[in-house]
Each structure stands twice: as structure tokens, then as C-alpha cells.
Amino acid sequence: MTEAYIYDSVRSPRGKGKTDGTLNEVPAVRLSALALNEIKTRNNLDGHAVEDVIWGNVTQVGEQGACLARSAVLYSDLDESIPGVAVNRFCSSALESVNMAAAQVMAGMGEGYIAGGVESMSRVPMGSDGGAIAADPTLAMKSYFVPQGISADIIATKYGFSRDDCDALAVESQRRAARAQKEGRFAKSMFTVRDQNGIAILDHDEMVRESTDMQTLGALRPSFKDMGETMPGFDAVALMKYPELEKINHVHHAGNSSGIADGTSAMLVGSKAFGEKYGLTPRARFKRMTKIGTDPTIMLTGPVSVTEKILKETGMKFSDIDLFEVNEAFAAVVLRFMTYFDADPDKVNVNGGAIAMGHPLGATGAVILGTLLDEMERADKETGLATLCIGSGMGVATIIERV
């Protein structure tokens, strides 16, 4: 089997995913094209160099619909002979896209790919595509559907994470992200978003709030309490699935949950022959990629299950991994991962996460894999694992090794 390598990783800054966010003026197709052009320029690629563009985006309607991947290729400086395919595995769409690219390289189905994703949450609101899991009563009843925020609160209740526990993790995420910004730890991968005239729009993650402390977060109301408790509420649905719980403790709010964000990310994935052809040096090798389905009600425990699965598939132990990136969809997701594996906090999300910097749904998977790779190089570590929880109960994980 051919080995697959990461040759480059780029991402935009993450902008606030609201109408007053800096990237609100940039449609997803243009954000995507900027990432594709950055990969092409940084690596001196011919316009027809890659086999395909595999591109994640979650809310595939409106200006993010109609195979955004192909539209992005046509908007970019890549040759029109390059096709594009849009991928939706909810929050892990970009990581799934990268994994698909790596798998095709391993299978000999092309030597080079650009993979990643995008989400403009300020322009195409989350959930605006509808979807049977939430909108079809028969499926919702069968699967005991509750919104993700309720799922996060179920995790906190079931595994004993308090409001203070969740807030403390959020404060630490902000502290680490602010430190990483100041020390330029994102500079290797982050490109400046510019307008049509070449004027810089955004050159940093704009949602980081270094001043965040326990007192600030303590003043925030739980975000999911009303939808959980207002009858007929989602708490009642959850308790039918988990009758051992007396009630759901609503501990998550805007400050300890991932921020709504705009952003894009891309990776250049290829074989050894691809690198030799273009004079590129591989940065990391794909060790293993895998995915799993999990309980759709609690929904967000996938990082635990998929990490167990990938370790079993590789014959590795948890202690064999030097660094971890676990998407901070909600504080309890990361707390569950760390307590289950008794993980060293200094090895998990070293530079903060989505609580501090935001979660542009279709882009985040490649963002965290790129962040992981940059930190492995900065700290001279050999092996890293990236994983995300996923809507409706799934998990994806990828292990990479430095070359």
C-alpha cells in the first residue's frame, strides 16, 4: 500500500460567525478559493497538479450548496480539469475530507489531493438545511433526538462535571489560545484574508478573549435550560433514554461552548512520488484514520469510542500518543475524554480550542489536524491524534506521525 503524507496545511483566521463578524463579507466559495490558492502558491503547484479537491461543508444550501467544492475550484487559480466533491459528516467534515484524500492516495487512486473545508456560519446559518434527524418526528422519536447543547449537558450530568469544571476548562482554553496568538504559534499555517483589492481584512482569530475568568463566565445563563425544561421539553426525552438520571444539570452556556465562526482550512495530501515531482518535503505520515457511530442522544461521546477503536486497530496504547487535539464543541466533551483516558491536560489542546477561537463547522477538522501538526513540530513531538465529536452520534479520529 502507498503511504500518504501531509505536505502542507493552511487555514484562515476564524471570524465571529455573526453579521457583525469580520468575515461576514466573504462568501464561503471565496474563502475556499483563497485556501486553495494559498496551497497552490506556497507549494509552487501547477494548476492541474492534484487529482481532486475534497471539501467539507455542513450546511449545504444557498450559496454553500450545489457542490461548493467544484465552485471553489472554478473560483480559484486551479485548472478547470480539477474536479471537486463536497463532504458532509457534520463537525468532522474537513477531517473526513482529509482522511478520504489520504485513503485514495494509499489506494493508488491519484498522487495528490487538496482536502479541507469551509463554513460561513454568519451567512448560512446552522440548521437552515433542515434535516430528518431534527425535523422528521418519526425519526426524532425513534432516535430520542435532542439538540447538541442538551447532549452536552447530559454528558456533564452523567459523568459528574459541574458548572465550575466546565468553566475552568473554558478559561484555560482562552488562556492557551491567547498565549499561542502572542507567541505566533499559528503563524506557520494561518494566511491573511484579503479583499478583492488586496487589503487585509483579518489576520488573527478574532474571538479570543484573554480577559475571560471564572467570574465573567459565572454571570452567564445556561444556554439550554429553557429548551430542556419548558414543557414539553427535551429534558423529558433525554430522561426516557437515561432514566437513571434524576434530572439534567444545565451547565453549558456561550462561554464554555464552541463559538459560531466563519473560516476555512486546507491540506495538501500526497504520495512520496507526488512530493518528489514537485520538490516538496513531507511533514507527516498518516498512521491510521477511522470513524464510528455512537448513541445519537448523548451524541457527543464519539471521541472516546473512536479513540479506543483507532488504538485497537493500530495496536497502540494511549501513552504512545504525544499530543491530542479534541475539538472543544462543548467543555464536557473534552472533560469526558480526559477523565476517561486519564489524559495529561498538558498534552490535550495545547493551544486552546473552539471554545476560545470558534468552530466553523465544515472547516474545523482540518484546522485541528493542522494545529496538531504545527505543535508537534514546534515541541519536537513524534505522534499526534486528532478527533471530533459529531452530530447525531459519531466520531472520527486520525493519527499522524512526523516524518
Side-chain angles (χ1 to χ4, degrees):
M1 184 181 295
T2 302
E3 291 193 325
Y5 300 94
I6 298 173
Y7 284 98
D8 201 7
S9 172
V10 303
R11 73 170 178 93
S12 71
R14 281 169 276 193
K16 183 168 64 171
K18 301 292 180 66
T19 55
D20 61 344
T22 303
L23 296 183
N24 173 252
E25 67 182 85
V26 188
V29 66
R30 184 163 186 272
L31 265 181
S32 302
L34 290 173
L36 299 180
N37 288 345
E38 190 75 11
I39 287 283
K40 177 180 180 293
T41 301
R42 282 173 42 141
N43 297 281
N44 297 310
L45 300 178
D46 299 328
H48 58 274
V50 295
E51 184 77 16
D52 200 358
V53 169
I54 306 177
W55 211 240
N57 72 287
V58 174
T59 310
Q60 297 188 12
V61 295
E63 61 190 44
Q64 288 191 167
C67 191
L68 178 62
R70 176 59 175 167
S71 298
V73 169
L74 297 176
Y75 201 117
S76 76
D77 296 334
L78 296 178
D79 193 87
E80 66 180 18
S81 64
I82 306 301
V85 61
V87 174
N88 181 3
R89 200 189 288 276
F90 297 140
C91 300
S92 75
S93 295
L95 186 58
E96 185 64 39
S97 297
V98 171
N99 289 350
M100 289 171 66
Q104 294 200 51
V105 169
M106 291 175 179
M109 302 294 290
E111 292 186 345
Y113 287 79
I114 300 175
V118 71
E119 206 77 30
S120 178
M121 300 181 75
S122 69
R123 297 174 64 94
V124 184
M126 178 172 54
S128 56
D129 54 346
I133 188 66
D136 184 337
T138 55
L139 176 57
M141 291 173 65
K142 180 182 179 182
S143 62
Y144 294 89
F145 169 81
V146 299
Q148 283 194 4
I150 302 292
S151 298
D153 287 338
I154 296 171
I155 292 174
T157 304
K158 183 174 177 64
Y159 298 108
F161 304 128
S162 68
R163 166 77 179 251
D164 281 352
D165 293 333
C166 294
D167 285 357
L169 185 138
V171 170
E172 181 64 8
S173 179
Q174 293 283 358
R175 186 192 70 81
R176 293 183 180 192
R179 179 190 63 189
Q181 277 191 335
K182 288 179 179 179
E183 295 181 1
R185 296 190 184 185
F186 303 132
K188 186 170 186 176
S189 294
M190 190 185 298
F191 63 88
T192 299
V193 176
R194 300 179 183 275
D195 67 15
Q196 304 280 13
N197 298 313
I199 298 172
I201 298 174
L202 188 64
D203 63 1
H204 64 281
D205 295 311
E206 72 174 329
M207 299 170 67
V208 178
R209 299 178 298 278
E210 185 178 6
S211 62
T212 300
D213 56 26
M214 294 294 286
Q215 289 71 34
T216 303
L217 298 184
L220 299 178
R221 292 186 69 252
S223 296
F224 311 104
K225 182 179 177 66
D226 289 346
M227 71 170 66
E229 295 181 353
T230 301
M231 296 304 294
F234 286 106
D235 283 8
V237 177
L239 292 173
M240 284 193 289
K241 186 72 172 285
Y242 300 99
E244 70 273 18
L245 303 180
E246 184 177 340
K247 60 173 292 187
I248 307 299
N249 298 321
H250 293 287
V251 299
H252 287 92
H253 51 75
N256 59 26
S257 306
S258 57
I260 293 172
D262 299 336
T264 187
S265 58
M267 284 191 157
L268 181 60
V269 177
S271 64
K272 181 180 180 182
F274 177 83
E276 292 173 346
K277 180 177 181 180
Y278 289 98
L280 303 174
T281 301
R283 297 174 62 189
R285 178 179 72 90
F286 287 88
K287 173 79 171 179
R288 185 77 179 184
M289 312 87 68
T290 198
K291 55 271 188 185
I292 200 168
T294 61
D295 180 344
T297 305
I298 205 167
M299 194 184 302
L300 307 173
T301 56
V304 169
S305 302
V306 79
T307 297
E308 286 190 314
K309 183 181 182 208
I310 201 169
L311 293 175
K312 182 177 180 180
E313 290 172 348
T314 56
M316 300 175 73
K317 302 187 296 292
F318 191 83
S319 58
D320 293 331
I321 309 295
D322 296 316
L323 290 173
F324 300 87
E325 282 289 324
V326 183
N327 187 39
E328 293 178 352
F330 299 90
V333 173
V334 182
L335 289 171
R336 173 59 180 160
F337 181 90
M338 290 196 298
T339 56
Y340 184 87
F341 290 109
D342 193 23
D344 181 351
D346 290 335
K347 294 183 177 182
V348 180
N349 300 350
V350 172
N351 296 310
I355 289 174
M357 293 175 282
H359 178 18
L361 303 176
T364 302
V367 170
I368 69 170
L369 188 61
T371 299
L372 176 65
L373 177 54
D374 286 349
E375 182 60 23
M376 287 166 62
E377 292 174 339
R378 189 196 70 83
D380 194 22
K381 302 297 183 182
E382 296 301 317
T383 306
L385 182 149
T387 184
L388 301 92
C389 60
I390 307 173
S392 75
M394 292 183 282
V396 168
T398 301
I399 295 176
I400 57 174
E401 299 174 329
R402 282 180 61 205
V403 177

